[in-house]
Structures are given as C-alpha cells and as structure tokens.
Amino acid sequence: DQLRLEQPGCVHAHMDLLKAALRLSPWLPAELLADALEVAIAARSLDVAASPYDASAYGLPPIRVELPSGRDEYRAAQVELMHRAAPVRAALRAAFDAYLQAAFCPADVAAAEAAPGEDRF
C-alpha cells in the first residue's frame, strides 16, 4: 500500500526518491541520480530546518512550525519541493518500468504487481 498511500508532498517521500535511485543506479543516467540527490538534500534541509534542532550554525535558519507564520513558511516550502520533485519522481518511475520490461517477462511483472511481497524499498 506504500505506493498507493504515499503523499507527494511528504518531505520523507522525497528523501526516499534517492533510495530508489540508488537501487536503480546501474541502469540510470547519472543526471537522474544527481537530480534525486539534489531533491533529497533539499528535503532533508527542510526537515532539519523545521525540527527542534538549531542548525543555524550550518547556514540553515529555523522554520518555527510552532507559529502560524512558520507553518505557512513550511507549507510553502513543502509545496515548492513537491513541484521540484515531481519530474524526478516521474523519471524514476519510467526508469523503473523500463528496467522491469527489460529484466523480466511480462507475466512475472503482472504476477508481482497482483500479489506484492512484504519486501519494500
């Protein structure tokens, strides 16, 4: 259900794009792997900025989500990141589909889609 329930605006889902890209890296263009890394770094930076930790010494000003203005700032950054990640997510999905087509017969892919295992990324 992870794929069906995943929220495209979730910061952690953006970080998971890097995990998927690394698993597919032997079959991906280096540029797509770099794009996934950039999205993951931006997502982690947003996550840390909104956390209770003070990372301002590392050039990361806090987003004070305990305040209405901070929640608005976080929401805007989250939406911006979602739009930035969308083409990377689509390209990774296309690359994964191409890998499945090349590596497995269609009947095996259909069977796996119909009854997914417990293994997850």
Side-chain angles (χ1 to χ4, degrees):
D1 272 350
Q2 180 180 355
L3 290 176
R4 188 176 61 77
L5 298 175
E6 185 175 77
Q7 299 294 315
C10 175
V11 173
H12 296 93
H14 302 318
M15 289 186 261
D16 286 347
L17 293 178
L18 177 61
K19 186 171 29 172
L22 288 170
R23 290 184 180 205
L24 284 172
S25 63
W27 300 278
L28 290 182
E31 296 82 7
L32 182 52
L33 183 59
D35 291 344
L37 176 61
E38 289 174 358
V39 167
I41 290 170
R44 187 63 181 146
S45 296
L46 177 59
D47 191 42
V48 169
S51 74
Y53 308 107
D54 182 7
S56 57
Y58 300 99
L60 197 58
I63 297 175
R64 302 197 181 287
V65 293
E66 68 275 10
L67 303 173
S69 61
R71 287 191 292 277
D72 290 344
E73 179 184 355
Y74 182 80
R75 189 175 305 109
Q78 192 177 24
V79 168
E80 180 182 327
L81 187 58
M82 179 182 71
H83 291 297
R84 181 177 171 191
V88 176
R89 181 182 304 279
L92 282 171
R93 179 62 192 242
F96 185 70
D97 287 345
Y99 166 75
L100 288 177
Q101 296 278 329
F104 301 98
C105 73
D108 289 343
V109 173
E113 288 175 345
E118 293 298 316
D119 298 357
R120 297 287 184 250
F121 275 77

Coordinates of all heavy atoms in Angstrom, one line a residue, residues 2-3 6-25 28 32-44 81-96 121:
Q2 N 2.2 1.2 0.2 CA 3.0 2.3 0.3 C 2.9 3.2 -1.0 O 2.7 4.4 -0.9 CB 4.5 2.0 0.5 CG 5.4 3.2 0.6 CD 6.8 2.8 0.8 OE1 7.1 1.6 1.0 NE2 7.7 3.8 0.8
L3 N 2.9 2.6 -2.2 CA 2.8 3.4 -3.4 C 1.5 4.0 -3.5 O 1.4 5.2 -3.9 CB 3.1 2.5 -4.6 CG 4.5 2.0 -4.8 CD1 4.6 1.1 -6.0 CD2 5.5 3.2 -4.9
E6 N 1.2 6.9 -0.6 CA 2.3 7.9 -0.5 C 1.8 9.3 -0.8 O 1.0 9.5 -1.8 CB 3.4 7.5 -1.4 CG 4.6 8.5 -1.2 CD 5.8 8.1 -2.1 OE1 5.8 8.3 -3.3 OE2 6.7 7.5 -1.5
Q7 N 2.2 10.2 0.0 CA 1.8 11.6 -0.2 C 2.9 12.3 -1.0 O 4.0 12.4 -0.5 CB 1.5 12.3 1.1 CG 0.5 11.6 2.0 CD -0.9 11.8 1.3 OE1 -1.3 12.9 0.8 NE2 -1.7 10.7 1.3
P8 N 2.6 12.9 -2.2 CA 3.7 13.5 -3.0 C 4.3 14.8 -2.3 O 5.3 15.2 -2.7 CB 3.0 13.8 -4.3 CG 1.5 13.8 -4.0 CD 1.3 12.9 -2.8
G9 N 3.6 15.3 -1.3 CA 4.1 16.5 -0.6 C 5.0 16.1 0.6 O 5.6 17.0 1.2
C10 N 5.0 14.9 0.9 CA 5.7 14.4 2.2 C 7.2 14.6 2.0 O 7.8 14.1 1.0 CB 5.4 13.0 2.5 SG 6.3 12.3 3.9
V11 N 7.9 15.3 2.9 CA 9.3 15.5 2.8 C 10.1 14.2 2.8 O 11.0 14.0 2.1 CB 9.7 16.4 4.0 CG1 11.2 16.5 4.1 CG2 9.1 17.8 3.9
H12 N 9.6 13.2 3.6 CA 10.3 12.0 3.7 C 10.2 11.1 2.4 O 11.1 10.4 2.0 CB 9.9 11.2 4.9 CG 10.2 11.9 6.2 ND1 9.4 12.7 6.8 CD2 11.4 11.9 6.9 CE1 9.9 13.2 7.9 NE2 11.2 12.7 8.0
A13 N 9.1 11.3 1.7 CA 8.9 10.6 0.4 C 9.9 11.1 -0.6 O 10.4 10.4 -1.4 CB 7.5 10.8 -0.1
H14 N 10.2 12.4 -0.5 CA 11.2 13.0 -1.4 C 12.6 12.4 -1.1 O 13.4 12.2 -2.0 CB 11.3 14.5 -1.3 CG 10.0 15.2 -1.6 ND1 9.2 14.8 -2.6 CD2 9.3 16.2 -1.0 CE1 8.1 15.6 -2.6 NE2 8.2 16.4 -1.7
M15 N 12.9 12.2 0.2 CA 14.2 11.6 0.5 C 14.2 10.1 0.0 O 15.3 9.6 -0.4 CB 14.4 11.6 2.0 CG 14.7 13.0 2.5 SD 15.1 13.0 4.3 CE 13.6 13.5 5.0
D16 N 13.1 9.4 0.0 CA 13.0 8.1 -0.5 C 13.3 8.0 -2.0 O 13.7 6.9 -2.5 CB 11.7 7.4 -0.2 CG 11.5 7.1 1.3 OD1 12.5 7.1 2.0 OD2 10.3 6.8 1.7
L17 N 13.1 9.1 -2.7 CA 13.5 9.1 -4.2 C 15.0 8.7 -4.3 O 15.3 8.0 -5.3 CB 13.2 10.4 -4.8 CG 11.7 10.8 -4.9 CD1 11.6 12.2 -5.5 CD2 10.9 9.8 -5.7
L18 N 15.8 9.2 -3.5 CA 17.2 8.9 -3.5 C 17.5 7.4 -3.3 O 18.3 6.8 -4.0 CB 18.1 9.8 -2.6 CG 19.5 9.5 -2.5 CD1 20.2 9.7 -3.9 CD2 20.2 10.3 -1.5
K19 N 16.8 6.9 -2.4 CA 16.9 5.4 -2.1 C 16.5 4.6 -3.3 O 17.3 3.7 -3.7 CB 16.1 5.0 -0.9 CG 16.2 3.6 -0.4 CD 15.6 3.3 0.9 CE 14.4 4.0 1.3 NZ 13.7 3.4 2.4
A20 N 15.5 5.0 -4.0 CA 15.1 4.3 -5.2 C 16.1 4.5 -6.3 O 16.4 3.5 -7.0 CB 13.7 4.8 -5.6
A21 N 16.6 5.7 -6.4 CA 17.6 6.0 -7.5 C 18.9 5.2 -7.2 O 19.5 4.7 -8.2 CB 17.8 7.5 -7.5
L22 N 19.3 5.1 -6.0 CA 20.5 4.3 -5.7 C 20.3 2.9 -6.1 O 21.2 2.2 -6.6 CB 20.9 4.5 -4.3 CG 21.5 5.9 -3.9 CD1 21.6 6.1 -2.4 CD2 22.8 6.1 -4.6
R23 N 19.1 2.3 -5.8 CA 18.9 0.9 -6.1 C 18.9 0.7 -7.6 O 19.2 -0.4 -8.1 CB 17.6 0.5 -5.5 CG 17.8 0.4 -4.0 CD 16.5 -0.2 -3.4 NE 16.8 -0.2 -1.9 CZ 16.2 -1.1 -1.1 NH1 15.3 -1.9 -1.6 NH2 16.5 -1.0 0.2
L24 N 18.4 1.7 -8.4 CA 18.4 1.6 -9.8 C 19.6 2.2 -10.5 O 19.7 2.2 -11.7 CB 17.2 2.4 -10.4 CG 15.8 1.8 -10.2 CD1 14.7 2.7 -10.6 CD2 15.7 0.5 -11.0
S25 N 20.6 2.7 -9.7 CA 21.7 3.4 -10.3 C 22.5 2.7 -11.4 O 22.9 3.4 -12.3 CB 22.7 3.9 -9.2 OG 23.3 2.8 -8.5
L28 N 20.5 3.8 -14.5 CA 20.0 5.2 -14.6 C 21.1 6.1 -15.2 O 22.3 5.9 -15.0 CB 19.7 5.8 -13.2 CG 18.5 5.3 -12.4 CD1 18.4 6.1 -11.1 CD2 17.3 5.5 -13.2
L32 N 20.0 11.8 -13.6 CA 18.8 11.5 -12.8 C 19.2 11.1 -11.4 O 18.5 11.5 -10.5 CB 18.0 10.3 -13.5 CG 16.7 9.9 -12.8 CD1 15.8 11.1 -12.6 CD2 16.0 8.9 -13.6
L33 N 20.3 10.4 -11.2 CA 20.8 10.1 -9.9 C 21.1 11.4 -9.2 O 20.8 11.6 -8.0 CB 22.0 9.2 -9.9 CG 22.5 8.7 -8.6 CD1 21.5 8.0 -7.7 CD2 23.7 7.8 -8.8
A34 N 21.8 12.3 -9.9 CA 22.1 13.6 -9.3 C 20.9 14.4 -9.0 O 20.8 15.1 -7.9 CB 23.0 14.4 -10.3
D35 N 19.9 14.4 -9.8 CA 18.6 15.1 -9.5 C 18.0 14.6 -8.3 O 17.5 15.3 -7.5 CB 17.7 15.0 -10.7 CG 18.1 15.7 -12.0 OD1 19.0 16.6 -11.8 OD2 17.6 15.5 -13.1
A36 N 18.0 13.2 -8.1 CA 17.4 12.6 -6.9 C 18.2 13.0 -5.7 O 17.6 13.3 -4.6 CB 17.3 11.1 -7.1
L37 N 19.5 13.1 -5.8 CA 20.3 13.6 -4.7 C 20.0 15.0 -4.3 O 19.8 15.3 -3.1 CB 21.8 13.4 -5.0 CG 22.8 13.9 -4.0 CD1 22.6 13.2 -2.6 CD2 24.2 13.8 -4.5
E38 N 19.8 15.9 -5.3 CA 19.5 17.3 -5.0 C 18.2 17.4 -4.3 O 18.0 18.2 -3.4 CB 19.6 18.1 -6.3 CG 21.0 18.3 -6.8 CD 21.0 19.0 -8.2 OE1 19.9 19.3 -8.7 OE2 22.1 19.2 -8.7
V39 N 17.2 16.7 -4.8 CA 15.9 16.7 -4.1 C 16.0 16.2 -2.7 O 15.4 16.8 -1.8 CB 14.8 15.9 -5.0 CG1 13.6 15.7 -4.2 CG2 14.5 16.6 -6.3
A40 N 16.7 15.1 -2.5 CA 16.8 14.5 -1.1 C 17.5 15.5 -0.2 O 17.1 15.6 1.0 CB 17.6 13.2 -1.2
I41 N 18.5 16.2 -0.7 CA 19.2 17.2 0.2 C 18.3 18.3 0.5 O 18.3 18.8 1.7 CB 20.5 17.7 -0.5 CG1 21.6 16.6 -0.6 CG2 21.1 18.9 0.1 CD1 22.8 16.9 -1.5
A42 N 17.5 18.8 -0.5 CA 16.6 19.9 -0.2 C 15.5 19.4 0.8 O 15.2 20.2 1.7 CB 15.9 20.3 -1.5
A43 N 15.1 18.2 0.7 CA 14.1 17.7 1.6 C 14.6 17.5 3.0 O 14.0 17.9 4.0 CB 13.6 16.3 1.1
R44 N 15.8 17.0 3.1 CA 16.4 16.9 4.4 C 16.7 18.2 5.0 O 16.5 18.4 6.3 CB 17.7 16.1 4.3 CG 18.3 15.7 5.7 CD 17.4 14.8 6.5 NE 18.0 14.6 7.8 CZ 17.3 14.4 8.9 NH1 16.0 14.5 8.8 NH2 17.9 14.2 10.0
L81 N 8.9 22.1 -3.0 CA 9.6 20.9 -3.1 C 8.9 19.8 -3.8 O 9.4 19.1 -4.6 CB 10.1 20.4 -1.7 CG 11.1 19.3 -1.7 CD1 12.3 19.6 -2.5 CD2 11.4 18.9 -0.2
M82 N 7.6 19.7 -3.6 CA 6.7 18.7 -4.3 C 6.8 19.0 -5.8 O 6.9 18.0 -6.5 CB 5.3 18.8 -3.8 CG 4.3 17.9 -4.4 SD 2.6 18.0 -3.9 CE 2.2 19.6 -4.6
H83 N 6.7 20.2 -6.2 CA 6.7 20.5 -7.6 C 8.1 20.3 -8.2 O 8.2 19.8 -9.3 CB 6.3 22.0 -7.9 CG 4.8 22.2 -7.6 ND1 3.9 21.6 -8.3 CD2 4.2 23.0 -6.7 CE1 2.7 21.9 -7.9 NE2 2.9 22.8 -6.9
R84 N 9.1 20.5 -7.4 CA 10.5 20.3 -7.9 C 10.8 18.8 -8.0 O 11.5 18.3 -8.9 CB 11.5 20.9 -6.9 CG 12.9 20.7 -7.2 CD 13.8 21.4 -6.2 NE 15.2 21.1 -6.4 CZ 16.1 21.4 -5.5 NH1 15.8 22.1 -4.4 NH2 17.4 21.1 -5.7
A85 N 10.2 18.0 -7.1 CA 10.4 16.5 -7.1 C 9.6 15.8 -8.1 O 10.0 14.7 -8.5 CB 10.2 16.0 -5.7
A86 N 8.5 16.4 -8.6 CA 7.6 15.6 -9.5 C 8.2 15.1 -10.7 O 8.0 13.9 -11.1 CB 6.4 16.5 -9.8
P87 N 9.0 15.9 -11.5 CA 9.7 15.3 -12.7 C 10.7 14.2 -12.3 O 10.9 13.3 -13.1 CB 10.3 16.5 -13.4 CG 10.3 17.6 -12.4 CD 9.3 17.3 -11.3
V88 N 11.3 14.4 -11.2 CA 12.3 13.3 -10.8 C 11.6 12.1 -10.5 O 12.0 11.0 -10.9 CB 13.2 13.8 -9.6 CG1 14.1 12.7 -9.1 CG2 13.9 15.1 -10.0
R89 N 10.5 12.2 -9.7 CA 9.6 11.0 -9.4 C 9.1 10.3 -10.7 O 9.2 9.1 -10.8 CB 8.5 11.5 -8.5 CG 7.5 10.4 -8.1 CD 6.4 10.9 -7.3 NE 6.8 11.7 -6.1 CZ 7.2 11.2 -5.0 NH1 7.2 9.9 -4.8 NH2 7.6 11.9 -4.0
A90 N 8.7 11.1 -11.6 CA 8.1 10.6 -12.9 C 9.3 9.9 -13.7 O 9.1 8.8 -14.2 CB 7.5 11.7 -13.7
A91 N 10.4 10.5 -13.7 CA 11.6 9.9 -14.5 C 12.0 8.6 -13.8 O 12.4 7.6 -14.5 CB 12.7 10.9 -14.6
L92 N 12.0 8.6 -12.5 CA 12.4 7.3 -11.8 C 11.4 6.2 -12.0 O 11.8 5.1 -12.2 CB 12.6 7.6 -10.3 CG 13.9 8.3 -9.9 CD1 13.8 8.7 -8.4 CD2 15.1 7.4 -10.1
R93 N 10.1 6.6 -12.0 CA 9.1 5.6 -12.3 C 9.2 5.1 -13.7 O 9.1 3.8 -13.9 CB 7.7 6.2 -12.1 CG 6.5 5.3 -12.4 CD 6.6 4.1 -11.4 NE 5.6 3.1 -11.8 CZ 4.6 2.8 -11.1 NH1 4.4 3.3 -10.0 NH2 3.8 1.8 -11.6
A94 N 9.5 5.9 -14.7 CA 9.7 5.5 -16.1 C 10.9 4.6 -16.2 O 10.9 3.6 -16.9 CB 9.8 6.7 -17.0
A95 N 12.0 5.0 -15.5 CA 13.2 4.1 -15.5 C 13.0 2.8 -14.8 O 13.5 1.8 -15.3 CB 14.4 4.9 -14.8
F96 N 12.2 2.8 -13.8 CA 11.9 1.5 -13.1 C 11.1 0.6 -14.0 O 11.3 -0.6 -14.1 CB 11.2 1.8 -11.8 CG 11.0 0.5 -11.0 CD1 12.0 -0.2 -10.4 CD2 9.7 0.0 -10.8 CE1 11.8 -1.3 -9.7 CE2 9.4 -1.1 -10.1 CZ 10.5 -1.8 -9.5
F121 N 11.2 -1.0 -0.4 CA 12.4 -0.3 -0.6 C 12.9 0.1 0.7 O 12.7 1.0 1.4 CB 12.2 1.0 -1.4 CG 12.2 0.7 -2.9 CD1 11.1 0.1 -3.6 CD2 13.3 1.1 -3.6 CE1 11.2 -0.1 -4.9 CE2 13.3 0.9 -5.0 CZ 12.3 0.3 -5.6

